[in-house]
Each structure stands twice: as C-alpha cells, then as structure tokens.
Amino acid sequence: MKVNEQLIGLTPYQPGKPIEDVKRELGLDKITKLASNENPFGSSEKAKEAIRNSLDELALYPDGYARNMREKVAQFIGVDENQLIFGNGSDELIAILCTALLSPAKNTVMANPSFSQYSHNATLQGAEIRMVENINGEHDLDGMLKAIDENTAIVWVCNPNNPTGTYISEEKIVNFIKNVPEHILIVMDEAYNEYAVAEDYPNTLSYLKDYPNMIILRTFSKAYGLAALRVGYGVGDPELITALDPARGPFNTSRIAHAAIVAAVDDQEFIQTCVKANREGLEQFYQFCKENRLDYFPSQANFILIDFNRSGQEVFDYLLRKGFIVRSGTALGYPTSVRITVGSKEQNKEIIQALTEMLGESR
C-alpha cells in the first residue's frame, strides 16, 4: 500500500507528556501537569452532576443535531441555532474547514508561530501554506494581507494566540477583516476567549452580520474544563454552516457531552472564578519574570511563554525531573522558551520555586 504523498514525513500532533508516563519513567509519586492549558480547577459541579445523570443512557446514540446543547449555546451567545456547528473539539472543526475549502489549487495564510493544526490539516489537503512570521509574538496582520491572492481560500487568526498568549485589539482586527476579500474565509480561533480580559479585546460575534465570510471557533476544553468530552463549536453565517455540515461526521459529539455542556453554560459563576484565579496566577509569573529579568509575553490566555535564554528543552527536562510537565518552546517556534499553563496558586508557587532553583544553579 502507498499512502498519499502529503502524509509522508508529516508527524501527528504531539500533546503534553502524560502524567502516567512521567510517573513510571522517573519513579515520581507527585506530578503537576502544566503543559496542555487545561483548567487546573477542573469543571463545574453542575456539569459533573449532569454527567452522572446521563450514565443510564450510554447505550443510546446522541442526538445528531445536538438540539439541547445547540439551543443552550445559541441562547447564551446570542445567535440563531442555524449559525452553529459542533465538533469533536475545535480540532475537528479545523479539519472540516480544510476538507471543505482547501485543495492543491488553493493556498491558506496563517501567522507563525501559531496553532499547529492549521498547517497540519492544510497539508493533508495538499494546499499551499503561507506562513507570516509574528512580530513581537503578535500576528503581522499587514503581512498576512500581503500574502493573500486570488487562490487564497482560508486565513487563520488565533486570538488570543497560542503559544504566545498575545491578542489582537478590536481596532486592528476590524481593519484587517475589512481588507480581506469576500471570497476568503476568515477563521477567528478563540479557544481562549473566556480568559481574555483586555478592554479592547474584540467582540467578533457582533461582526458576523456584516461579514458572512467569517467563522468563529470556540471550545469547552479550556475555561470550562471539559477537555475530556471534546466539544468545540463554530459560529458563522447560516449558509456557510449549511455548506460545511456534510463534512461533519455523524454523532460526532456525545450524549454525555451534550448534558454536561448545557449544565456548564448555566454555571458562569464557575467560569468567572476561574478567570479571576487565572489573572492572579499570571501575576505570580509576571513577578517571577521581573525579579529574574526574564522576557515574557503578557498573556490574555491561561498560559505564559517565558524566555529563559537557554534551550527550552533543557528547561523542560529540568522541570520534568522535579515533577512538573510543561511544553518546551522548541516545538512551538520559540526554542529558548517554555510555555507554562497557569495552575492553582500553590501549583504556581511550587513551579516558580523549582525555576528559581534552576536559575540559581546556573549563576
């Protein structure tokens, strides 16, 4: 057998190192995982109760239309139900968009570094990938506009951006959207939307009526703490959603997930508590960086990218031996940095202590 040429040499997505593997390999009893931008405070108790109440329905297929979840999300964000498409995480939605719009005759434009699944799925479709380098960790929007031509099908905007945590202001994004030709789909990936607190962070939902060539991607894996259930959603023009839906697999989101998300959306007090704790946690890392004269990107997400002026893999290995799993910047486009998920106050304190010891050993 011979696989398609575009698969040759393409590596699968590399998630954060599993806790179980680290315990077994290093013989450690306690592991703190701060690598995958998961919510350190778990998920809503209301969502857990909804899951427990759904356990007798495991033998049943879910509603393929996801009506209960669809109605709840539509009401919460203020859109019509026919403007929503749900995926097995926003990762599946990225794959659906690439399947629907990209081909070897098309190209796609994205910032670099940004979320790797844009280029990964574009490669699977044989499309030309045009990466525009970030400027100080932020999207070079002017450069991205210059990279667009008549064969561009999708332009990706990650806001806040992963792995830097930087964001694009409302003024900048509105100007950008206005200048993207109507035949190009603008994907606004807002996986960390709930964590963004900047006053000028854009409310992109309000743009949809004027820009039918835009889709917004969001997820329940981050602030909602439901990563194990794998549900993301896209919001766009009804005609676009209808056109995309045939590329979505049947029953791609589970019955248990539907119940949990309906309950989780109703528990915004939990979300606000997590957002507040996240900002306080970021301040712990900011103070550490200032005390040690380390460069970092101020973050609107639930992680921070810190430049240690040495191999990010070296820092990763040091922390791993201490029982902390982070992400080396080597694979993220920042080889002297590491990306650390903001944990609980105590978790942040512990990893900062370990990092302080590491810096002390090299002085």
Side-chain angles (χ1 to χ4, degrees):
M1 292 184 293
K2 185 177 181 180
V3 301
N4 289 338
E5 184 178 345
Q6 58 265 35
L7 279 168
I8 299 174
L10 190 65
T11 57
Y13 179 76
Q14 297 297 318
K17 201 170 179 67
I19 291 174
E20 295 79 8
D21 288 357
V22 176
K23 283 185 175 180
R24 183 172 58 252
E25 292 170 10
L26 299 180
L28 298 172
D29 294 325
K30 179 184 177 183
I31 300 294
T32 302
K33 185 185 177 188
L34 300 173
S36 299
N37 305 335
E38 296 148 329
N39 189 334
F41 305 105
S43 53
S44 164
E45 290 300 323
K46 293 180 180 179
K48 295 177 187 178
E49 181 63 21
I51 290 171
R52 286 190 286 268
N53 291 338
S54 300
L55 293 179
D56 288 337
E57 301 173 342
L58 293 180
L60 303 177
Y61 281 109
D63 170 13
Y65 187 68
R67 179 171 299 281
N68 290 342
M69 180 169 67
R70 182 180 298 272
E71 290 177 350
K72 177 61 66 174
V73 173
Q75 179 185 37
F76 179 66
I77 66 174
V79 300
D80 292 335
E81 293 175 27
N82 61 359
Q83 289 183 262
L84 295 172
I85 183 170
F86 292 94
N88 190 246
S90 53
D91 301 284
E92 185 190 21
L93 295 172
I94 292 168
I96 287 172
L97 291 170
C98 290
T99 298
L101 281 86
L102 296 181
S103 70
K106 301 292 184 179
N107 70 68
T108 181
V109 175
M110 63 197 69
N112 186 52
S114 193
F115 188 43
S116 62
Q117 291 302 284
Y118 310 147
S119 60
H120 181 91
N121 284 283
T123 299
L124 290 176
Q125 300 305 319
E128 177 192 353
I129 298 168
R130 298 183 176 182
M131 292 188 174
V132 179
E133 296 301 310
N134 290 336
I135 298 176
N136 296 324
E138 299 180 5
H139 286 41
D140 176 7
L141 296 179
D142 290 336
M144 292 172 70
L145 287 172
K146 291 176 183 176
I148 288 170
D149 65 18
E150 67 276 6
N151 294 319
T152 303
I154 303 177
V155 58
W156 306 87
V157 178
C158 190
N159 195 29
N161 187 42
N162 179 12
T164 60
T166 54
Y167 80 105
I168 304 168
S169 69
E170 182 170 29
E171 180 180 1
K172 290 180 179 179
I173 201 63
V174 168
N175 181 66
F176 176 76
I177 292 170
K178 285 180 178 178
N179 285 283
V180 175
E182 293 180 0
H183 75 276
I184 298 171
L185 179 66
I186 305 164
V187 181
M188 297 294 304
D189 186 348
E190 298 181 349
Y192 300 93
N193 165 75
E194 288 83 8
Y195 287 112
V197 298
E199 291 184 1
D200 57 350
Y201 182 77
N203 174 21
T204 49
L205 290 170
S206 66
Y207 308 161
L208 289 172
K209 63 181 182 298
D210 296 320
Y211 300 100
N213 63 323
M214 183 173 74
I215 188 169
I216 300 164
L217 303 184
R218 293 183 177 176
T219 183
F220 290 99
S221 295
K222 303 304 180 183
Y224 282 88
L226 296 172
L229 298 184
R230 310 303 300 123
V231 178
Y233 63 96
V235 195
D237 182 81
E239 289 188 13
L240 171 64
I241 299 301
T242 298
L244 293 173
D245 206 43
R248 178 182 61 83
F251 310 120
N252 64 328
T253 55
S254 73
R255 178 177 290 268
I256 285 179
H258 297 177
I261 284 161
V262 167
V265 169
D266 278 338
D267 193 359
Q268 289 302 306
E269 183 179 351
F270 171 78
I271 299 298
Q272 292 308 311
T273 298
C274 293
V275 171
K276 181 177 183 293
N278 183 69
R279 299 316 303 178
E280 293 170 352
L282 281 169
E283 289 298 331
Q284 289 178 268
F285 285 105
Y286 293 163
Q287 184 61 35
F288 161 74
C289 290
K290 291 171 184 175
E291 290 174 356
N292 291 279
R293 298 181 181 179
L294 298 174
D295 291 330
Y296 66 95
F297 293 117
S299 177
Q300 288 294 315
N302 69 332
F303 58 83
I304 184 169
L305 188 72
I306 302 174
D307 188 350
F308 287 91
N309 297 307
R310 66 179 75 183
S311 166
Q313 190 62 40
E314 176 188 327
V315 179
F316 170 87
D317 290 337
Y318 179 92
L319 289 173
L320 197 63
R321 292 192 299 272
K322 298 289 186 178
F324 298 96
I325 308 174
V326 296
R327 285 300 296 270
S328 168
T330 303
L332 301 175
Y334 292 92
T336 61
S337 301
V338 296
R339 191 191 69 189
I340 304 172
T341 302
V342 177
S344 66
K345 183 177 181 179
E346 188 59 32
Q347 288 173 333
N348 299 335
K349 182 179 178 181
E350 289 174 353
I351 194 171
I352 286 171
Q353 178 60 37
L355 288 167
T356 301
E357 293 171 2
M358 180 193 73
L359 294 174
E361 291 173 7
S362 61
R363 285 174 182 153

